[in-house]
């Protein structure tokens, strides 16, 4: 409930700033809900049949639109690991090189491909987001466990708190990005 109140408060601030003037609105938007690389997001979300607001939200949640972001073993806008990047490069017929994931267009292309792959594989955006965060191996084991999935196809619960919060945060960000942009 606390997180929902935080997002509602931020949305209210943004809307009030919009009513108060364009300059303040722009600064608030840039600070809390940035949007960069829009051309690449549009292109690859369309190519891989994803909601562009979902892609914006994943980027916001993963890196806050910082193309040099590092979090452990993942890098770039959509926080792709080297192993995943190698696999995606093979799938897309691209030559892999280690720093490619920090190049914004390449990262967005690879992230969109992977998110689309996960969505098709699991048949659900929420499950795809869980796999994007926790890995396919974890999600597949959760789906096979009756404590977390009643039908083996849909997650009824996510045992990793971080992943559960990640899925909810991205869903909230999708709502906000749709309202703002």
């Amino acid at each position: 409930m606390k997180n929902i109140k935080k997002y509602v408060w931020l949305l209210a601030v943004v809307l009030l700033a919009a009513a108060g003037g364009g300059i303040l609105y722009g600064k608030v938007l840039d600070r809390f809900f940035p949007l960069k690389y829009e051309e690449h997001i549009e292109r690859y979300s369309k190519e891989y049949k994803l909601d562009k607001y979902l892609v914006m939200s994943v980027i916001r949640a993963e890196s806050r639109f910082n193309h040099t972001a590092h979090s452990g073993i993942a890098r770039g806008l959509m926080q792709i690991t080297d192993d995943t990047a190698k696999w995606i490069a093979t799938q897309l017929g691209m030559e892999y090189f280690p720093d490619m994931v920090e190049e914004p267009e390449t990262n967005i292309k690879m992230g969109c491909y992977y998110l689309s792959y996960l969505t098709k594989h699991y048949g659900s955006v929420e499950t795809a987001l869980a796999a994007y965060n926790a890995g396919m191996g974890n999600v597949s084991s959760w789906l096979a466990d009756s404590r977390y999935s009643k039908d083996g196809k849909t997650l009824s619960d996510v045992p990793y708190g971080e992943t559960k919060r990640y899925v909810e945060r991205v869903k909230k960000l999708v709502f906000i990005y749709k309202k703002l942009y």
Side-chain angles (χ1 to χ4, degrees):
M1 189 65 164
K2 183 179 177 183
N3 284 338
I4 292 172
K5 287 181 182 178
K6 180 174 91 173
Y7 282 108
V8 169
W9 181 85
L10 286 173
L11 185 57
V13 167
V14 169
L15 294 174
L16 284 172
I23 294 171
L24 180 58
Y25 175 72
K27 288 181 188 252
V28 171
L29 265 171
D30 287 345
R31 171 75 172 98
F32 294 107
F33 304 103
L35 178 56
K36 301 176 187 173
Y37 315 109
E38 196 169 3
E39 179 182 322
H40 303 315
I41 292 169
E42 289 275 347
R43 176 179 179 190
Y44 295 113
S45 62
K46 184 179 280 189
E47 183 173 331
Y48 295 112
K49 297 175 178 46
L50 294 168
D51 179 351
K52 69 181 181 180
Y53 302 106
L54 174 65
V55 176
M56 291 173 194
S57 299
V58 168
I59 294 171
R60 166 59 169 71
E62 293 287 351
S63 70
R64 290 184 159 257
F65 286 85
N66 176 1
H67 74 279
T68 61
H70 289 249
S71 62
I73 60 171
R75 298 184 290 146
L77 291 167
M78 296 185 78
Q79 292 294 286
I80 300 171
T81 66
D82 286 334
D83 287 343
T84 301
K86 288 175 191 172
W87 179 81
I88 294 168
T90 301
Q91 300 303 305
L92 296 176
M94 300 168 64
E95 182 180 345
Y96 172 80
F97 56 93
D99 292 334
M100 71 191 305
V101 295
E102 288 185 18
E103 197 286 313
E105 182 174 6
T106 302
N107 187 279
I108 291 169
K109 178 178 183 170
M110 293 178 114
C112 285
Y113 173 83
Y114 190 53
L115 192 54
S116 175
Y117 171 82
L118 293 172
T119 303
K120 289 175 190 166
H121 180 78
Y122 291 110
S124 156
V125 170
E126 288 83 6
T127 307
L129 287 170
Y132 196 95
N133 180 263
M136 291 180 72
N138 286 321
V139 169
S140 294
S141 69
W142 299 339
L143 289 171
D145 188 327
S146 62
R147 292 176 296 172
Y148 309 119
S149 176
K150 304 300 178 214
D151 59 7
K153 298 176 187 175
T154 308
L155 289 173
S156 54
D157 190 23
V158 176
Y160 288 3
E162 176 189 337
T163 300
K164 183 185 284 192
R165 287 186 299 276
Y166 174 81
V167 172
E168 289 305 313
R169 183 171 64 244
V170 171
K171 288 168 50 177
K172 289 172 192 168
L173 287 167
V174 168
F175 173 80
I176 291 168
Y177 270 99
K178 281 184 178 182
K179 293 292 182 194
L180 296 175
Y181 294 101

